[in-house]
Amino acid sequence: MSNSRVDAPVRIAVVGLGKVARDQHLPALLADGRFTLVATVSPEAGGVGDVAHFASLEAVLERGPVLDAVALCTPPQVRHGLAARAIAAGLHVLLEKPPGATLAEVEGLRSQAARAGTTVFAAWHSRFASGVAPAREWLTGRAVRSVAIVWREDVRTWHPGQDWIWEPGGLGVFDPGINALSMATAILPGPIVVAAARLVVPVNRAAPIAAELGLRSADGIPITMDLDWRPTGPQTWDIRVETDDGLLLLARGGASLSLPHAATAHFEDHEYPQLYARFHELIRRGDSDVDIAPFRLVADAFLLGRREATEAFVD
Ligand code: NAP
């Protein structure tokens, strides 16, 4: 943003008009006066209302309205190419999670943005769940004994027809699992390391449908992680932290928080409005925020994981 536009709304394009763009990014942006949605980009999908719509990032850069920023809401496999092109065009970039398909390409974007003087934001939306900040605060100064992460959801309900999620770079069950890791790395003292992993992969797919991880924090606290995409009954997105002062339970993906001797707090969902507030703050300050800790744990699980084949998955 030039200095003359320092107080003007950030002119942004949303790239990749799929589920998360329509459910979260567009409503958050349209409600935030610090941004103006000037374009959308998607190869197949139609646009929204009278917002200018293009089939590719290249097309909006060549023929579209002037932009300050893009939000990349595509599958991760194409994120790096789009982000590198946007930074080269002098734009600020919000990366949906996971921030790319490999660690090296995300590191590369961080360096490229620093050289170009633009902002890049690896947006871990679950860190903006309302229970995360109070959980981190409550844990400060308390001794953690063990942690159990349980993330069990029905893939057919949450990811119908998303073939990219099963392909290399799509992460499989770690697509939701990385949300849990983004919260765990935000509330627990780090660094956390992967000690062992078991990856259950359908014979007709490249990515796991279930996984069990053994992790530990720097001071040796055991952390277990149980990820499964097969449950069709109750859905579970829980982080249980046993402390010397009782149990902290961050449930419903961070939307509920239970602490000892207190009623469970249930929060409204403000993740994406908070995420865009953070992106705006970074742009104003001329900073970037690219924390790869959750992504590195997934990469390490893939490095260390013992693979077991399971029955074919048919959507
Ligand atoms: P999705 O529904 O499959 O949508 C992805 C969209 O990306 C598609 O609509 C596709 O557009 C577009 N696309 C693909 N290649 C493109 C390219 N080269 N340029 C521009 N657009 C391109 O996937 P999603 O569920 O929204 O997930 C997208 C990302 O957000 C993933 O990384 C996911 O982990 C993350 N996320 C998803 C959710 C969720 O609730 N689903 C929540 C948080 C984060 P066309 O249809 O036009 O081909």
Side-chain angles (χ1 to χ4, degrees):
M1 244 184 312
S2 69
N3 283 343
S4 61
R5 285 195 45 83
V6 86
D7 291 321
V10 174
R11 296 164 294 190
I12 191 166
V14 170
V15 180
L17 282 189
K19 182 169 175 12
V20 76
R22 292 179 190 276
D23 290 357
Q24 300 290 351
H25 290 261
L26 296 179
L29 280 169
L30 292 172
D32 190 332
R34 293 166 296 191
F35 291 89
T36 305
L37 178 67
V38 294
T40 54
V41 176
S42 222
E44 304 289 336
V48 285
D50 55 4
V51 177
H53 184 70
F54 300 84
S56 69
L57 178 62
E58 214 46 54
V60 73
L61 293 176
E62 278 174 16
R63 302 189 295 278
V66 177
L67 297 176
D68 303 306
V70 289
L72 300 182
C73 307
T74 66
Q77 292 95 335
V78 296
R79 191 127 48 231
H80 175 260
L82 295 167
R85 180 68 186 95
I87 296 168
L91 304 182
H92 307 299
V93 176
L94 182 153
L95 305 168
E96 247 300 352
K97 50 77 23 174
T102 71
L103 290 168
E105 61 181 35
V106 180
E107 295 281 15
L109 292 178
R110 176 159 51 192
S111 312
Q112 187 192 346
R115 288 194 303 274
T118 66
T119 290
V120 62
F121 177 33
W124 300 108
H125 66 88
S126 292
R127 285 186 174 170
F128 295 90
S130 299
V132 170
R136 178 173 50 229
E137 196 177 316
W138 189 83
L139 287 169
T140 303
R142 287 183 164 88
V144 175
R145 290 180 180 161
S146 65
V147 181
I149 300 170
V150 180
W151 233 246
R152 293 174 151 259
E153 63 178 41
D154 177 7
V155 65
R156 291 185 176 87
T157 299
W158 299 101
H159 302 280
Q162 291 187 338
D163 287 335
W164 61 263
I165 217 161
W166 295 102
E167 292 297 312
L171 300 192
V173 75
F174 285 92
D175 176 85
I178 203 168
N179 297 336
L181 292 170
S182 74
M183 290 194 278
T185 48
I187 65 172
L188 298 169
I192 294 170
V193 297
V194 179
R198 173 175 165 263
L199 311 176
V200 181
V201 184
V203 290
N204 61 338
R205 303 285 180 165
I209 194 167
E212 286 170 21
L213 269 59
L215 308 111
R216 60 173 183 272
S217 72
D219 37 6
I221 299 160
I223 302 168
T224 59
M225 186 167 190
D226 169 4
L227 300 177
D228 206 325
W229 252 351
R230 295 166 294 191
T232 53
Q235 309 283 286
T236 310
W237 299 280
D238 288 355
I239 300 179
R240 304 171 67 86
V241 184
E242 294 284 356
T243 76
D244 59 356
D245 211 9
L247 173 71
L248 175 149
L249 172 59
L250 194 54
R252 297 169 56 231
S256 296
L257 178 63
S258 304
L259 298 171
H261 321 300
T264 299
H266 300 288
F267 305 103
E268 290 193 13
D269 175 9
H270 300 298
E271 289 180 22
Y272 280 80
Q274 295 291 327
L275 186 146
Y276 274 102
R278 172 76 175 143
F279 187 36
H280 190 267
E281 180 197 350
L282 290 167
I283 293 170
R284 287 293 307 270
R285 291 198 338 226
D287 279 349
S288 286
D289 178 354
V290 185
D291 179 12
I292 60 169
F295 198 30
R296 192 169 49 215
L297 290 172
V298 174
D300 285 354
F302 277 74
L303 280 171
L304 271 185
R306 183 178 296 280
R307 280 152 210 271
E308 289 176 19
T310 191
E311 63 184 320
F313 175 82
V314 182
D315 206 355

